[in-house]
Amino acid sequence: MAKMSIMEIDRIYICKIEEEVKPVIINMYDENENTETRYVGFVGNHRWDLAIMRTAHFYGKSVVINLQSGRAGILNHEDLEEDKLHLLAEQFGLTDEEQTEELAEFLRGNL
């Protein structure tokens, strides 16, 4: 909807109509790909229900989804190194160091 405003400049009235600016959507990519998806449920000190999708789209990384929380990460083995575990915890919303290590240990053998 257009918005109209009237201004007085030196006794001359100017009618200004401003159009609403709608957000522009730019499609960056739209691809279909066959993926290999593995659904895994396991129990260590915590219960895990994961979906692991192997895809070529993310440069050889896998999409890992925690089906309980809906949190996901795009991971490879380098992302599971000890000095990067804080990033894994952040991606999956884990506050317990033991939980983070348990997930990382499983993923190291299953990505």
Side-chain angles (χ1 to χ4, degrees), residues 78-90:
E78 291 174 7
D79 299 315
L80 302 172
E81 294 172 358
E82 288 296 323
D83 62 333
K84 296 181 183 176
L85 288 185
H86 66 284
L87 298 173
L88 180 69
E90 188 177 310

Side-chain angles (χ1 to χ4, degrees), residues 46-60:
H46 304 87
R47 179 187 168 134
W48 300 95
D49 295 295
L50 305 174
I52 302 171
M53 291 186 294
R54 288 187 176 82
T55 173
H57 188 77
F58 298 109
Y59 307 102

Side-chain angles (χ1 to χ4, degrees), residues 27-73:
N27 189 0
M28 294 176 55
Y29 56 86
D30 184 353
E31 300 175 8
N32 290 316
E33 178 184 357
N34 291 326
T35 63
E36 178 186 325
T37 305
R38 178 179 172 201
Y39 297 96
V40 182
F42 69 96
V43 176
N45 290 328
H46 304 87
R47 179 187 168 134
W48 300 95
D49 295 295
L50 305 174
I52 302 171
M53 291 186 294
R54 288 187 176 82
T55 173
H57 188 77
F58 298 109
Y59 307 102
K61 291 188 173 192
S62 295
V63 179
V64 179
I65 304 167
N66 181 340
L67 298 173
Q68 293 173 340
S69 67
R71 306 280 303 244

Side-chain angles (χ1 to χ4, degrees), residues 61 64 71-97 99-101 103-104 107-108:
K61 291 188 173 192
V64 179
R71 306 280 303 244
I74 300 170
L75 307 168
N76 65 12
H77 287 282
E78 291 174 7
D79 299 315
L80 302 172
E81 294 172 358
E82 288 296 323
D83 62 333
K84 296 181 183 176
L85 288 185
H86 66 284
L87 298 173
L88 180 69
E90 188 177 310
Q91 284 179 313
F92 286 91
L94 305 174
T95 56
D96 181 56
E97 191 175 318
Q99 240 183 336
T100 304
E101 184 55 47
L103 177 60
L107 292 174
R108 284 183 191 116

